[in-house]
């Protein structure tokens, strides 16, 4: 029911199997109910999927928002703009980038071969 250190480690992992998992701050039951729970099985690799190479606090705090605004501005249609705002991280209208669910599906279809995030 309660979030543990192991659950929290998974939340901060950049391993493909740990992306977009264990969002609950206190009660892990919410992740179990909504299907976002992942137990810690493999060693957690901490970090971001794309390194931002800075220690500037404002850049660290708002880099994802800035990337989202850039994607929305570059979108060609209103539907694409909505996609960037409402769909999962990594979504793209042309499929050139993958969501965490798509990366996990590829990982499982490759018989457990590790996929690097680029």
């Amino acid at each position: 029911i309660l979030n543990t250190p192991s659950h929290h480690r998974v939340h901060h992992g950049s391993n493909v199997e740990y992306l977009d998992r264990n969002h609950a701050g206190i009660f892990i039951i919410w992740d179990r109910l909504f299907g976002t729970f992942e137990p810690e099985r493999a060693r957690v690799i901490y970090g971001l999927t794309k390194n931002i190479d800075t220690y500037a606090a404002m850049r660290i705090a708002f880099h994802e928002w800035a990337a989202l605004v850039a994607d929305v501005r570059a979108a060609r249609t209103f539907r694409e703009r909505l996609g960037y705002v409402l769909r999962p991280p990594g979504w793209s209208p042309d499929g050139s980038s993958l969501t965490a669910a798509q990366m996990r599906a590829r990982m499982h279809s490759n018989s457990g071969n590790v996929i690097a995030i680029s």
Side-chain angles (χ1 to χ4, degrees):
I1 293 175
L2 294 174
N3 201 348
T4 68
S6 175
H7 299 149
H8 194 73
R9 281 192 297 271
V10 167
H11 170 76
H12 286 284
S14 63
N15 311 45
V16 171
E17 63 268 29
Y18 296 154
L19 293 177
D20 295 338
R21 297 295 189 187
N22 297 2
H23 302 287
I26 298 173
F27 298 109
I28 201 70
I29 190 77
W30 296 113
D31 285 303
R32 291 179 184 269
L33 287 172
F34 290 109
T36 56
F37 174 74
E38 184 69 36
E40 182 178 2
R41 292 188 181 103
R43 184 179 145 277
V44 177
I45 299 170
Y46 298 102
L48 303 172
T49 56
K50 295 178 186 173
N51 201 347
I52 57 174
D53 297 322
T54 185
Y55 294 105
M58 294 302 282
R59 175 80 172 120
I60 292 169
F62 295 107
H63 75 277
E64 283 297 332
W65 290 102
L68 178 63
V69 168
D71 287 340
V72 168
R73 282 186 178 168
R76 296 173 300 209
T77 66
F78 184 72
R79 185 180 181 114
E80 287 181 7
R81 287 184 185 97
L82 279 178
Y84 281 116
V85 173
L86 300 176
R87 292 193 179 218
W91 176 85
S92 63
D94 60 359
S96 61
S97 60
L98 301 174
T99 66
Q102 291 168 328
M103 285 188 261
R104 278 191 291 278
R106 279 197 181 173
M107 184 175 73
H108 292 300
S109 70
N110 288 335
S111 302
N113 293 338
V114 176
I115 297 174
I117 299 171
S118 57

